[in-house]
Amino acid sequence: MRIMSAMCAVAAIAAAIVLTPDASAQRRGQATTVVVVNYQRVLAESALGRDMAAKLAQVRQQVQAEAQSLAPEGQSIEQERQRLATATRSMTAEQVRNSTTYAPQFEALQGRVEQFQRRGAALQGDYECSQALALRDFNQTVSPIVRSTMESRGAGVVLDASNIQFVQPEFDVTTTVIQQLDQANRTMNVTRRPVSECQAQQAQTPGQ
C-alpha cells in the first residue's frame, strides 16, 4: 500500500467535516459556502506529512530486512518440494498419501510452507498497520486545523480536491492549512505497530 493511495481513505473521513448543528442553525437561510482542501498536498508538502513519510520509510526498511531474512527458508522449502516431487514422480496421489515414508514428509513440508506464509503475511501486515495508524493520527491532527480554516472562511462544508473537477483558487484553502499545520506540528510519533493491534481495533468496531 502506497502512502498516497492510503491517504485517500483517511481523506474520505476528513472530507466529511461539516459545521455542528448549532453552527448550522446560526447560518440558516444563508447559502452554504464550500472550501476545498487537497489532502494529498497536505500530506506531501507539510512538515508533519514529510516527517511521517520518513519514519514510515524506516519501518518499511525494517520489515523488508526481516522479509529478506526469510529467503533461505524459502529456498529450502523449494528444494524440499522439488526433492519430494522427484522421489514420488512414479507414484499416484493415493500411493503418496498411503506411504509411511513420504506422507509424513509432505505433511512436514506443508507445515513449513504455512508457517513461512504466515510470517510473510505478518510482516506485510505490520507495515500496513503501522501506516494505517500513522495516517489516522495525521488526520486527527489535521482535522481541527481544517475545521478552523473552514469556519474562518464562513464555510459550512469542506471538500477533498480529489473528488471535484474544477475549483476557483479563492475556494482552495490547502496552502493555508499547510502553513497553519507547519506552525502547530512538525513531527509525529511513528513506530512499528503489529498487525494484531489493527485486527483488535477492527474487532472492536461495530459493523466490522
Side-chain angles (χ1 to χ4, degrees), residues 138-154:
F138 181 87
N139 181 67
Q140 290 175 346
T141 302
V142 173
S143 290
I145 294 174
V146 174
R147 177 179 288 276
S148 175
T149 303
M150 174 189 72
E151 293 175 343
S152 70
R153 294 293 186 96

Side-chain angles (χ1 to χ4, degrees), residues 79-207:
Q79 291 171 355
E80 178 66 359
R81 186 195 66 78
Q82 293 179 0
R83 183 189 72 80
L84 289 175
T86 300
T88 60
R89 61 187 174 188
S90 62
M91 300 172 63
T92 66
E94 183 177 359
Q95 288 174 330
V96 172
R97 286 194 297 270
N98 294 331
S99 172
T100 57
T101 299
Y102 293 112
Q105 294 182 39
F106 273 105
E107 291 177 2
L109 177 61
Q110 181 61 29
R112 290 176 62 189
V113 169
E114 292 175 356
Q115 184 176 16
F116 181 80
Q117 291 175 338
R118 283 196 299 269
R119 181 55 180 156
L123 288 173
Q124 178 66 16
D126 282 358
Y127 176 70
E128 292 180 352
C129 181
S130 302
Q131 184 185 60
L133 295 181
L135 287 169
R136 180 201 63 185
D137 294 344
F138 181 87
N139 181 67
Q140 290 175 346
T141 302
V142 173
S143 290
I145 294 174
V146 174
R147 177 179 288 276
S148 175
T149 303
M150 174 189 72
E151 293 175 343
S152 70
R153 294 293 186 96
V157 176
V158 176
L159 295 179
D160 182 0
S162 66
N163 296 324
I164 59 178
Q165 189 171 8
F166 300 108
V167 58
Q168 293 290 342
E170 61 267 26
F171 291 98
D172 190 331
V173 297
T174 304
T175 299
T176 300
V177 169
I178 293 173
Q179 291 172 345
Q180 293 185 7
L181 181 60
D182 284 351
Q183 292 174 2
N185 299 278
R186 301 185 68 87
T187 63
M188 61 185 295
N189 182 32
V190 178
T191 59
R192 180 170 171 176
R193 313 289 280 272
V195 63
S196 57
E197 182 175 350
C198 288
Q199 292 171 337
Q201 292 186 13
Q202 289 175 352
Q204 295 172 0
T205 302

